[in-house]
Amino acid sequence: MTFSQRALYILRTFIKYISLVLITFISILPTVSTVITAFKTEEEYTSTNVMTPPNSWVYFKNFVTAWKDANMGLAFLNTFIILVFVLIGSIMFGAMLAYILSRFKFRGNEFIRNLFLFATLIPGIATQVTVYQIMHSMKLINTLQGYIILMMGTDVISIYIFIQFFENISVSLDESAIIDGCTYYGVFFKILFPLLKPAIITCMILKGVSTYNEYYMSNLYLQNKSIFVTVSTSLYTFTGPYGNQYNYICAGVIITILPALIIFILCQKQIYSGLTQGAVKG
Amino acid sequence: MSNLNTTASKGGILSRLIKWLRSGKGQRCIIMITFMTVPLLLLIGFTYLPFFKMFEFSFFNMKYIGERKFIGLDNYRDVLADKEVMNSLMLAVYYLIGSFIQLALALYFATMLSFKTKGGSFFKGTIFFPYLISGIAMGFIFKFFYTRGFVFDTVLTRLGFELENLPYWLRDKGINNVSLVATSVWKYMGQNMVLFIGAIMSVDKELYESASLDGANRWHQFRYIILPSISTIIVLNMILSITGSLSAFEPPYVITGGTRGTATFFLLMHNMAHRHQKVGKASAMALILFSLIIIVTIAQKLIFKYVFSDSNEDVSKKTARMLRKQRAKEAMR
């Protein structure tokens, strides 16, 4: 390596790490500042600058108040129930539909595929005007089951992930099972479904994240917030009476982010690969 | 006699039905029906039925409850003549520029992190994490962040700016939309980056090795190996960001509520439907948006058909083949 090459190499490495540190700073600054504020007493909050660290990092009163006032215990319970049903439902229905579409040749197969594909172009929030009417006429507003059905709805991305996955599983597996006297149900539930595990994990992560963070529809369809509060709508409590008391608001925000952070740290790899797979066709 | 005959033939039909159900064809039919009914019902009930109803509503002057009146194309005319709507379409340009900046940043950091980097997974994780923060939490975080004298102002004053010279980030009409677009870049840049890293990783490793043996520097590697092999996904993301910026909704909805000239098309439509209860006009807006999306999608299909017609073939493989041929030629000499 000549001198100029070495100088260039050092300069490049320097720029690389400077830009990485800078973008990391920008990425975490907003969240870190809420963490700082969440640990401050009311007096500290009004008297010190927002970026001054709190006196004590074990002052949890804000979290306790936020948890109680926003009814977060119930919110986490509701969100958990919703997650369980939505995940089971959307994965089962997605895998079942993908099985039919990838394994059975029939007239209308292509049509159904296109029907699902075309649905992705219809802007979801825009149709809520009329979906609201339909939900109203089915008496599904302000019920958990209504919201769950709606969220299970059309999850095109998971259907595509499953179809892709099925196409990589040899058809001879099905055929030999059928010859051995297995029914189609047996083929699906006993043979293929267990093989789908990686695809199921991918879909669980994608759907799980979007369900946990979903707040537009839960705000619209679960209006009775004293019973049907979810994690994301529980934060709405802070818009009214708390106004500018950010020490409580920040504590609430941190509580809702924490589960996402833990899941992220535990399954980083699956989340990345899930996103990459989901984007290929979606 | 005739009675007996019919029952006999009925029994015949029944037994034939049972026989058919037990046959392979019948089994196929049953499983197709049982496995497809629910997903199709959900699709039709919550996507297509609302969509067609919306089409119908767009011709009426109506609220959620009460009488409705057919008014033909008046809703569409009203929407297109609305100054606020035109303003909101101008806002889409802000979001479009924002998403192009976002893609450029994502590509820059993705390329960087695809090569060996100290603490690479830490950087990747922190850049990506904002994507997992829910919209409503993000709303609070940025209301706090941009408040006068709070986080952003503190950082800027430490850097030497005077507080008096700084604008009100969410109030001043010249800057508030830029502030909102920045939050959207903040949230989605990491996700784009992860997608790009995935695409770059799928490029054949051998290519880099042989290229660096041939004396290619980093820029050459980026320009001639990485860029061509992920150009499809870049162009796709660029086109998607057009529809994305037309339907930008979250930042103004959770942070400013669309006040002070920050209302995007989607937000106006939401307010029209749920605050003013003008269902007909909101439906017309939705359909205008939908037709814009369709136009962009058709353009995308055409671009991919004629410009990237060989996109089915893995570009990296093609480049690999080319390189191999070249090397063979050199060896012959």
Side-chain angles (χ1 to χ4, degrees):
Chain A
M1 234 189 246
T2 65
F3 177 73
S4 66
Q5 267 177 327
R6 167 158 268 165
L8 197 71
Y9 175 78
I10 292 173
L11 181 71
R12 213 171 39 214
T13 316
F14 181 72
I15 293 175
K16 174 176 171 175
Y17 283 99
I18 283 290
S19 56
L20 278 173
V21 168
L22 195 69
I23 193 75
T24 307
F25 177 72
I26 295 171
S27 296
I28 63 173
L29 176 68
T31 323
V32 167
S33 64
T34 57
V35 175
I36 291 174
T37 304
F39 283 102
K40 283 183 178 174
T41 64
E42 221 160 295
E43 200 189 287
E44 258 185 295
Y45 169 69
T46 44
S47 60
T48 60
N49 183 281
V50 280
M51 293 303 282
T52 319
N55 276 331
S56 149
W57 286 102
V58 285
Y59 177 75
F60 289 110
K61 197 176 150 261
N62 295 331
F63 293 94
V64 175
T65 313
W67 178 274
K68 272 189 200 145
D69 288 6
N71 209 351
M72 283 186 160
L74 184 65
F76 273 101
L77 180 70
N78 280 335
T79 297
F80 180 73
I81 295 171
I82 291 169
L83 270 175
V84 169
F85 282 101
V86 168
L87 287 183
I88 292 176
S90 64
I91 283 167
M92 282 308 296
F93 293 137
M96 277 152 62
L97 189 78
Y99 171 64
I100 300 291
L101 290 180
S102 64
R103 286 296 202 254
F104 292 71
K105 301 242 169 330
F106 60 96
R107 244 182 293 146
N109 186 320
E110 197 65 19
F111 177 71
I112 292 174
R113 283 180 191 229
N114 287 332
L115 215 56
F116 276 93
L117 213 56
F118 190 71
T120 56
L121 296 179
I122 301 172
I125 294 180
T127 53
Q128 295 312 316
V129 180
T130 37
V131 171
Y132 191 86
Q133 280 212 327
I134 292 168
M135 294 283 281
H136 187 76
S137 64
M138 288 164 77
K139 302 223 177 334
L140 284 175
I141 288 174
N142 264 327
T143 59
L144 273 190
Q145 62 267 33
Y147 180 68
I148 288 168
I149 291 172
L150 204 59
M151 287 300 291
M152 271 187 332
T154 46
D155 193 10
V156 183
I157 289 175
S158 63
I159 292 171
Y160 264 85
I161 290 174
F162 283 129
I163 287 183
Q164 258 180 328
F165 209 84
F166 273 123
E167 272 159 12
N168 288 328
I169 300 175
S170 167
V171 190
S172 59
L173 205 66
D174 306 30
E175 280 162 0
S176 57
I178 295 278
I179 290 167
D180 288 346
C182 202
T183 61
Y184 287 110
Y185 291 97
V187 171
F188 178 74
F189 285 107
K190 282 192 202 132
I191 297 170
L192 294 175
F193 200 72
L195 290 177
L196 284 179
K197 211 172 137 198
I200 291 172
I201 291 173
T202 303
C203 293
M204 266 178 76
I205 287 168
L206 290 180
K207 191 78 188 171
V209 167
S210 65
T211 308
Y212 181 79
N213 284 339
E214 204 287 320
Y215 68 98
Y216 182 81
M217 295 208 289
S218 46
N219 194 28
L220 200 59
Y221 297 109
L222 299 173
Q223 286 160 350
N224 188 347
K225 295 217 173 52
S226 57
I227 308 172
F228 298 122
V229 62
T230 65
V231 173
S232 50
T233 55
S234 71
L235 283 179
Y236 264 107
T237 319
F238 296 116
T239 38
Y242 285 86
N244 286 319
Q245 283 190 296
Y246 276 106
N247 51 333
Y248 297 116
I249 297 177
C250 288
V253 167
I254 299 299
I255 293 175
T256 64
I257 290 178
L258 219 51
L261 182 65
I262 293 168
I263 297 281
F264 174 62
I265 291 170
L266 291 179
C267 355
Q268 242 182 82
K269 284 226 170 72
Q270 287 90 331
I271 290 179
Y272 294 145
S273 71
L275 270 178
T276 322
Q277 284 174 46
V280 176
K281 288 260 174 151
Chain B
M1 251 328 242
S2 63
N3 263 346
L4 251 176
N5 255 344
T6 45
T7 42
S9 68
K10 251 186 200 164
I13 288 171
L14 206 68
S15 65
R16 245 186 293 162
L17 188 70
I18 289 168
K19 213 174 177 187
W20 181 77
L21 286 180
R22 289 212 178 117
S23 72
K25 232 181 178 179
Q27 290 279 322
R28 267 170 62 100
C29 216
I30 295 170
I31 191 166
M32 270 163 58
I33 291 168
T34 48
F35 273 22
M36 291 204 303
T37 310
V38 178
L40 281 177
L41 275 181
L42 287 173
L43 178 72
I44 290 165
F46 293 118
T47 304
Y48 282 100
L49 190 64
F51 180 68
F52 289 122
K53 269 199 153 177
M54 210 163 66
F55 189 70
E56 181 197 335
F57 287 177
S58 70
F59 300 108
F60 287 89
N61 183 5
M62 60 184 287
K63 294 191 167 194
Y64 280 107
I65 320 160
E67 295 229 334
R68 61 182 198 179
K69 201 175 135 217
F70 184 80
I71 51 167
L73 289 171
D74 278 8
N75 280 328
Y76 290 92
R77 219 168 287 149
D78 280 0
V79 170
L80 293 176
D82 193 334
K83 266 201 187 125
E84 248 186 317
V85 170
M86 284 304 124
N87 179 46
S88 74
L89 288 178
M90 282 301 295
L91 282 190
V93 178
Y94 276 85
Y95 285 87
L96 190 63
I97 293 170
S99 47
F100 280 166
I101 293 172
Q102 173 185 320
L103 288 176
L105 283 173
L107 192 59
Y108 173 72
F109 287 110
T111 314
M112 204 171 264
L113 291 173
S114 300
F115 292 103
K116 220 175 179 182
T117 307
K118 280 211 179 71
S121 64
F122 168 76
F123 287 124
K124 192 177 170 187
T126 45
I127 298 171
F128 172 75
F129 186 69
Y131 177 69
L132 295 179
I133 295 177
S134 74
I136 183 75
M138 194 180 123
F140 282 116
I141 289 174
F142 278 102
K143 266 189 231 163
F144 178 67
F145 185 81
Y146 283 131
T147 302
R148 187 66 166 178
F150 279 18
V151 187
F152 195 40
D153 286 352
T154 306
V155 172
L156 288 179
T157 46
R158 295 235 173 118
L159 288 175
F161 289 90
E162 293 285 334
L163 187 60
E164 294 88 66
N165 299 336
L166 294 176
Y168 284 79
W169 300 107
L170 295 177
R171 261 201 252 166
D172 290 357
K173 281 193 177 167
I175 197 84
N176 56 6
N177 282 307
V178 178
S179 312
L180 290 181
V181 172
T183 66
S184 164
V185 174
W186 179 79
K187 183 170 180 181
Y188 293 103
M189 196 277 272
Q191 187 233 10
N192 277 341
M193 184 190 76
V194 166
L195 293 185
F196 288 154
I197 290 177
I200 293 172
M201 288 301 188
S202 65
V203 176
D204 200 344
K205 277 268 150 52
E206 257 180 56
L207 276 180
Y208 299 123
E209 283 160 21
S210 59
S212 63
L213 280 181
D214 290 347
N217 63 24
R218 279 288 161 84
W219 167 249
H220 287 145
Q221 287 182 16
F222 176 74
R223 174 68 189 79
Y224 297 107
I225 301 175
I226 296 179
L227 207 56
S229 37
I230 65 171
S231 60
T232 321
I233 187 170
I234 293 174
V235 173
L236 184 69
N237 270 295
M238 280 165 78
I239 296 169
L240 283 180
S241 62
I242 299 174
T243 42
S245 52
L246 282 173
S247 39
F249 173 69
E250 206 174 51
Y253 179 64
V254 295
I255 299 173
T256 59
T259 52
R260 294 184 173 267
T262 57
T264 57
F265 191 85
F266 235 87
L267 194 72
L268 284 180
M269 183 170 67
H270 165 82
N271 285 342
M272 194 70 74
H274 299 288
R275 199 173 293 164
H276 310 305
Q277 303 246 328
K278 289 185 181 163
V279 176
K281 207 172 158 189
S283 301
M285 287 182 84
L287 279 160
I288 289 170
L289 182 69
F290 176 71
S291 28
L292 288 175
I293 289 175
I294 290 287
I295 290 170
V296 174
T297 310
I298 291 172
Q300 171 202 325
K301 291 270 185 277
L302 290 178
I303 288 173
F304 274 84
K305 197 169 169 193
Y306 292 110
V307 183
F308 295 91
S309 50
D310 54 2
S311 66
N312 280 336
E313 192 174 17
D314 194 355
V315 186
S316 63
K317 275 185 202 147
K318 228 168 67 183
T319 332
R321 225 180 297 135
M322 253 165 52
L323 271 176
R324 233 175 278 138
K325 261 186 212 159
Q326 253 176 16
R327 242 184 277 158
K329 258 188 212 161
E330 273 162 28
M332 295 249 287
R333 261 184 249 152

